[in-house]
């Protein structure tokens, strides 16, 4: 796309292909090359575009500009994983500060607070972010709360958080609203437009889309926060390397296509699952009677591509996972291939059982990340595995 074109007029699917700095200035190559360089020759003292790979790299820069474009941020930052993105953002805070954590944040996010940042007196408190009154009460009670971290849909029960509502409360008390937008991707949801200050992604999931790269992205709305993150990114150094930056840009080009197909497949499977006797409950914000259905429709362009469900105890869970042929029993989500997992022993194992029970992550809960395969093949795979796993 020509350099002088107006990107702010482009729609999300076009931005996935042409956002950021999508062409190489030097050669005109329609893809940014992999600048596999750790340092850069400087023309003279203090005169350079890039200086040192940790501080900046042209391939990573192109990805970071694209990330900012995708969520209408002033800046984007790329990290070596979702967790390094989250950890770097948390280093903006200081000892004595407290962060509110939505009760069903990703287990790894809970773990860095509970076992690592707590050692440095960065405190946390759990809140049900779906309940705005409860959120406001927490802010009222404690002046040390400097931010709230939420996910919507929240993992693994796909509960919907009112991002605009939470952002408004955080702002009222001079705090930040940080959204982990991994489950939606920028194509379906743009937290900064809803009032959040920082949006974080495990780009390992939908943005990469092929389960072949570990990466994290941070997008911010405000220049002063961007300056802080830039400083921390360079100081800590958990940056995304050039090859992985390139892989991620390649993945993002097809984000809209993949998401459209994955969301449609998920809607189909969610409706099918709830028709089965073996399935006790289905959690998917695309189902009209789901509690978050209306809210999600207002704040996002789709209900995402993860569905969770509880299967009856008549089934042996391990047998069910073993009998699946197409759907892989594996951690992670968001790839073109369907993946299934057991949250209480996998993604949420690092969360204490008492909290798991409190939030409803029971042992018969299963989480399915739906890929781009043919939906009938996915359905058949689930049916045969259920049939083969009934306890004798
Ligand atoms: C919602 C969410 N946030 C953050 C992470 C951490 O990302 P990564 O595995 O890329 O470090 C994950 C990983 O599964 C996740 O699901």
């Amino acid at each position: 796309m020509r350099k002088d074109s107006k990107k702010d007029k482009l729609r999300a699917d076009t931005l996935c292909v042409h956002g950021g700095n999508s062409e190489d200035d030097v050669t005109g190559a329609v893809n940014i090359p992999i600048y596999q360089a750790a340092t850069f020759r400087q023309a003279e003292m203090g005169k350079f575009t890039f200086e040192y790979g940790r501080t900046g790299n042209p391939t990573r820069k192109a990805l970071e500009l694209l990330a900012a474009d995708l969520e209408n941020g002033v800046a984007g930052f790329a990290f070596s994983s979702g967790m390094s993105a989250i950890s770097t953002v948390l280093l903006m805070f200081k000892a004595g500060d407290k962060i509110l954590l939505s009760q069903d944040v990703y287990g790894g996010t809970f773990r860095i607070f509970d076992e690592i940042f707590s050692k440095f007196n960065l405190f946390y408190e759990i809140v049900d972010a779906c309940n705005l009154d409860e959120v406001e009460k927490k802010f009222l009670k404690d002046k040390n709360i400097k931010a709230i971290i939420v996910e919507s849909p929240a993992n693994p029960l796909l509960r919907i958080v009112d991002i605009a509502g939470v952002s408004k409360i955080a702002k009222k008390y001079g705090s930040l609203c940080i959204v982990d937008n991994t489950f939606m991707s920028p194509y379906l949801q743009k937290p900064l437009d809803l009032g959040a200050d920082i949006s974080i992604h495990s780009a390992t999931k939908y943005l990469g889309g092929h389960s072949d790269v570990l990466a994290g992205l941070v997008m911010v709305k405000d220049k002063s926060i961007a300056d802080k993150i830039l400083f921390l990114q360079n100081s800590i150094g958990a940056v995304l390397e050039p090859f992985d930056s390139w892989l991620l840009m390649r993945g993002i080009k097809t984000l809209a296509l993949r998401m459209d197909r994955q969301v449609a497949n998920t809607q189909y499977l969610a409706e099918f699952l709830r028709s089965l006797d073996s399935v006790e409950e289905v959690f998917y914000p695309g189902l009209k009677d789901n509690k978050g259905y209306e809210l999600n429709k207002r704040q996002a362009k789709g209900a995402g591509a993860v569905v969770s469900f509880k299967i009856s105890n008549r089934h042996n869970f391990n047998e069910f996972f073993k009998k699946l042929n197409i759907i892989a029993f594996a951690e992670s989500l968001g790839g073109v291939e369907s993946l299934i997992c057991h949250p209480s022993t996998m993604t949420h194992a690092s969360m204490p059982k008492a909290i798991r029970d409190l939030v409803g992550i029971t042992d018969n809960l299963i989480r399915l990340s739906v890929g781009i395969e043919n939906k009938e093949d996915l359905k058949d795979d689930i049916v045969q595995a259920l049939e083969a796993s009934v306890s004798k």
Side-chain angles (χ1 to χ4, degrees):
M1 190 177 145
R2 288 188 189 282
K3 273 255 151 327
D4 49 5
S5 314
K6 289 219 166 1
K7 293 219 172 88
D8 56 341
K9 298 263 185 297
L10 298 180
R11 291 166 181 82
D13 36 6
T14 308
L15 271 180
C16 287
V17 185
H18 294 290
N21 180 20
S22 62
E23 287 174 13
D24 183 38
D25 289 342
V26 182
T27 62
V30 296
N31 295 299
I32 292 287
I34 304 165
Y35 285 95
Q36 195 67 40
T39 194
F40 301 83
R41 184 194 291 269
Q42 304 183 18
E44 58 180 272
M45 284 172 77
K47 203 166 170 200
F48 54 82
T49 314
F50 291 93
E51 177 187 18
Y52 183 61
R54 171 162 39 74
T55 319
N57 171 286
T59 316
R60 193 177 91 221
K61 186 77 203 161
L63 167 67
E64 293 178 329
L65 291 169
L66 171 60
D69 277 354
L70 290 178
E71 287 197 8
N72 300 322
V74 296
F77 302 92
F79 295 90
S80 55
S81 69
M83 284 322 301
S84 60
I86 293 170
S87 308
T88 304
V89 166
L90 291 179
L91 288 162
M92 287 199 312
F93 301 99
K94 59 178 194 324
D97 288 349
K98 187 189 267 185
I99 312 294
L100 280 183
L101 277 189
S102 175
Q103 68 178 29
D104 26 23
V105 286
Y106 170 60
T109 304
F110 176 81
R111 180 173 55 202
I112 41 167
F113 274 99
D114 199 48
E115 296 189 38
I116 301 173
F117 282 112
S118 59
K119 286 196 246 174
F120 302 95
N121 289 343
L122 179 61
F123 302 112
Y124 75 92
E125 199 174 324
I126 302 286
V127 65
D128 178 2
C130 294
N131 182 340
L132 293 183
D133 290 340
E134 195 184 309
V135 172
E136 175 125 33
K137 270 188 205 140
K138 297 268 186 207
F139 274 106
L140 257 176
K141 236 176 54 196
D142 194 337
K143 297 266 169 306
N144 290 325
I145 296 174
K146 296 292 157 45
I148 177 165
I149 302 182
V150 301
E151 293 174 21
S152 184
N155 181 21
L157 293 169
L158 293 321
R159 298 187 327 138
I160 301 299
V161 171
D162 180 349
I163 295 174
V166 169
S167 303
K168 215 165 141 190
I169 297 172
K171 196 149 290 128
K172 183 168 157 193
Y173 294 91
S175 294
L176 300 180
C177 176
I178 302 172
V179 177
D180 181 331
N181 200 28
T182 301
F183 269 54
M184 278 306 198
S185 89
Y187 178 60
L188 295 182
Q189 183 166 271
K190 298 186 194 302
L192 305 184
D193 287 355
L194 294 165
D197 301 282
I198 302 176
S199 173
I200 304 181
H201 289 266
S202 166
T204 315
K205 312 298 183 325
Y206 293 102
L207 286 155
H210 297 74
S211 304
D212 55 9
V213 59
L214 265 180
L217 288 179
V218 172
M219 291 81 140
V220 301
K221 200 168 60 180
D222 178 75
K223 166 95 172 63
S224 68
I225 298 175
D227 290 345
K228 285 184 194 161
I229 307 244
L230 180 66
F231 172 77
L232 289 168
Q233 183 193 38
N234 182 40
S235 305
I236 293 155
V239 293
L240 194 64
E241 56 140 321
F243 179 62
D244 284 348
S245 298
W246 179 86
L247 262 183
L248 199 50
M249 281 189 282
R250 181 183 161 106
I252 290 171
K253 285 181 199 289
T254 56
L255 176 67
L257 288 176
R258 288 185 281 107
M259 285 312 299
D260 283 343
R261 168 76 170 226
Q262 286 174 263
V263 172
N265 276 359
T266 313
Q267 183 74 35
Y268 177 77
L269 289 178
E271 282 165 17
F272 170 70
L273 282 166
R274 66 162 15 172
S275 71
L276 299 177
D277 287 342
S278 312
V279 174
E280 291 177 351
E281 212 175 341
V282 179
F283 304 88
Y284 183 57
L287 295 174
K288 282 211 170 86
D289 56 359
N290 181 283
K291 217 172 150 200
Y293 176 81
E294 287 299 335
L295 173 57
N296 188 66
K297 245 176 90 170
R298 283 204 300 279
Q299 68 182 14
K301 229 172 67 180
V306 175
V307 55
S308 295
F309 53 102
K310 291 187 176 175
I311 62 173
S312 115
N313 288 327
R314 284 189 294 111
H315 294 270
N316 178 314
F317 306 131
N318 199 32
E319 277 304 302
F320 172 68
F321 294 131
K322 271 167 51 187
K323 292 287 192 263
L324 288 164
N325 295 319
I326 299 171
I327 302 170
F329 179 49
E331 299 265 6
S332 204
L333 62 128
V336 289
E337 62 288 294
S338 295
L339 303 176
I340 202 158
C341 80
H342 187 231
S344 67
T345 57
M346 295 166 80
T347 52
H348 286 67
S350 47
M351 184 176 269
K353 182 159 172 32
I355 299 185
R356 284 205 309 268
D357 288 344
L358 177 83
V359 301
I361 304 173
T362 53
D363 287 344
N364 64 340
L365 183 73
I366 289 172
R367 187 189 82 187
L368 173 64
S369 163
V370 182
I372 62 167
E373 303 94 335
N374 186 294
K375 60 189 181 190
E376 300 300 336
D377 287 333
L378 295 175
K379 182 175 96 174
D380 293 346
D381 201 24
I382 293 170
V383 169
Q384 64 79 25
L386 278 173
E387 279 168 7
S389 62
V390 178
S391 304
K392 301 281 179 287

